[in-house]
Amino acid sequence: MTLDQPAVDRPALARLVAEAEVGGEMPDDDVPLYAPRRNIYPQSVHGRFRNIKWTVLVVTLAIYYLLPFVRWNRGPNAPSQAVLIDFPNRRFYFFFIEIWPQEVYYLTGLLILAAILLFLMNAMAGRVWCGYLCPQTVWTDLFFAIERAVEGDRREHMLRDARKWTADTYLRKGIKHFLWLMVAWWTGGAWVLYFADAPTLVKELATGQAPFIAYAWIGILTFTTYTLAGHMREQVCLYMCPWPRIQAALTDEYALNVTYRYDRGEPRCSAKKAEQLRAQKQPAGDCVDCLQCVHVCPTGVDIRGGANLGCIQCGLCIDACDAIMTKLGRATRLIAYDTDLNIKQRIEGKPAFYKLLRMRTVLYAGIIAIVGGVMLYTLATRDTEGISVIHDRNPMYVRLSDGALRNGYTIRIVNKRLKYRDFIVGVDGVPSSLIDFVGLPPRADGRQLVTVGPDQTKEVRIVVTDYSTTPPPPSTSILFKLIDIDSGETAEVRDHFFGPGG
Ligand code: SF4
Ligand code: SF4
């Protein structure tokens, strides 16, 4: 496949089959190795897929810009922002979920879920992510809308650019770039609000009291949004993004893709010529070669040339062609979400079939269900307290002047609840031992009461001394235990008591 194929009148399927037979791309002498960038002026279009794209654009941008201002009451000891990445306190808040640094595996699980969901979308409906949900698509679509509002639709814009530039041209371009920069600036501004209390940070930003890093990130994201969505547009999809290449390897013959039904459209000719040909019982396709499908395409693709890496599967060419077919009184969906297999079926006079339920879609859905289920279960049943131990490394043990052996440990007690909690901490497994909690009053039973603040951890030093007269083994397994006095919830962790030879 090439990135930018010219319209060809031979069936795409024949080309793909031929390419498969020669084990690579068919030689195409008339296509240069380097294609200079063409300015793309996508024409506005109305229809079902355009409406879906507007809806997705409004919903996703509204979520992105407004989510930092949504509040979530977690009580007096926690932030009230629903979604917050709290780097100073090393927490990630997502509504009722709070992720600690040691629970980063939930994020790994989320990434796995996102990847498999992308595979599933691809197996069902090709690059539906690229066409509707990808941030590059959403922001570029918004920038196109601004461009059309200021500089006019395709025809008007092209004419104005081709003519000698006047003060009006400069003014319009200035307004467009100003509006683009405003959107880009808001985009960067919204991003930093996910990392601090949004209303407070807005006030600080407005009064120049925000930390430098916030201004720096706003600057970086303003620049990247303005450049990627305003200037690079389809170049990102064609050359920078790896997903088109990956999805080309993942797709199969049953995945629905935006497809020109050449079995119905070819041979293309004007409506008048088609009438004449049909009157003479000659074949005439439904495509009138009006190029509307190309003019509305945000990546400048002619879908009639067959499968194309540049096609982001946005469906706008379907809307454009449907409008032409409706005007001509012909059946719509000359371009549609379909498969090349179905085209072959129709050519052979067989009924089209759609196979959404197949091995790979079931497998992807199964993986999503399992990973999602495991994550939900572990989230719902995860402990709200924890204990970890680090044994002193140098030295591993100390022999005291009276012959006793001593090991030192640092324990960390975790309290994930949003209230103070009292824990009894104890050590089991070393007979005849004396357990000292450094800095805390000694207790005869070797146990200690430790209070940990809400949503905090507390570090405690413990030394364990073995006064037994018999030589201890090189290593003895011991158990550190934690009991919440109020709820009785427990946590424990094993470590070792080392002696000579250990
Ligand atoms: S060819 Fe059609 S579906 Fe593909 S990107 Fe262009 S308009 Fe969208
Ligand atoms: S919009 Fe439809 S009729 Fe017009 S060129 Fe494209 S496929 Fe042919």
Side-chain angles (χ1 to χ4, degrees), residues 258 297-299 301 303 311-317:
V258 174
C297 179
T299 56
V301 163
I303 194 65
C311 172
I312 58 169
Q313 308 272 322
C314 65
L316 295 184
C317 53

Side-chain angles (χ1 to χ4, degrees), residues 10-21 26 262 340 344:
R10 64 196 139 149
L13 187 63
R15 183 185 178 88
L16 289 174
V17 169
E19 282 180 358
E21 279 170 0
M26 291 289 288
Y262 59 80
D340 283 336
K344 219 172 156 199

Side-chain angles (χ1 to χ4, degrees), residues 53 131-132 258-259 293-294 296-304 308 310-318 335 337:
K53 275 175 72 67
Y132 299 86
V258 174
T259 304
C293 51
V294 186
V296 300
C297 179
T299 56
V301 163
D302 185 346
I303 194 65
R304 297 173 302 166
N308 193 309
C311 172
I312 58 169
Q313 308 272 322
C314 65
L316 295 184
C317 53
I318 302 178
I335 303 174
Y337 277 95

Side-chain angles (χ1 to χ4, degrees), residues 90-91 99-106 412 414 416 457:
R90 289 179 288 172
R91 300 281 187 281
I99 305 286
W100 285 53
Q102 58 268 44
E103 295 171 325
V104 74
Y105 49 82
Y106 284 117
R412 182 174 286 277
V414 177
K416 293 182 187 170
T457 63

Side-chain angles (χ1 to χ4, degrees), residues 112-181:
I112 293 172
L113 271 185
I116 306 293
L117 193 62
L118 213 51
F119 293 174
L120 179 62
M121 281 193 224
N122 177 59
M124 306 280 277
R127 292 172 65 186
V128 68
W129 163 264
C130 305
Y132 299 86
L133 289 159
C134 170
Q136 174 65 18
T137 295
V138 171
W139 263 273
T140 303
D141 223 11
L142 178 63
F143 277 45
F144 275 141
I146 293 171
E147 186 172 78
R148 277 194 291 264
V150 178
E151 295 203 76
D153 209 345
R154 174 185 163 83
R155 204 176 159 72
E156 186 187 344
H157 188 185
M158 286 176 80
L159 279 174
R160 192 176 286 114
D161 275 4
R163 281 196 221 114
K164 192 170 178 314
W165 284 23
T166 63
D168 177 63
T169 315
Y170 284 107
L171 179 68
R172 285 173 189 271
K173 294 215 177 279
I175 293 172
K176 176 183 83 175
H177 286 285
F178 173 75
L179 292 175
W180 279 1
L181 278 167

Side-chain angles (χ1 to χ4, degrees), residues 300-342:
V301 163
D302 185 346
I303 194 65
R304 297 173 302 166
N308 193 309
L309 283 181
C311 172
I312 58 169
Q313 308 272 322
C314 65
L316 295 184
C317 53
I318 302 178
D319 285 341
C321 190
D322 278 359
I324 298 295
M325 290 298 114
T326 307
K327 258 190 213 159
L328 294 172
R330 295 177 182 171
T332 57
R333 296 293 191 266
L334 174 55
I335 303 174
Y337 277 95
D338 204 350
T339 63
D340 283 336
L341 264 185
N342 276 341

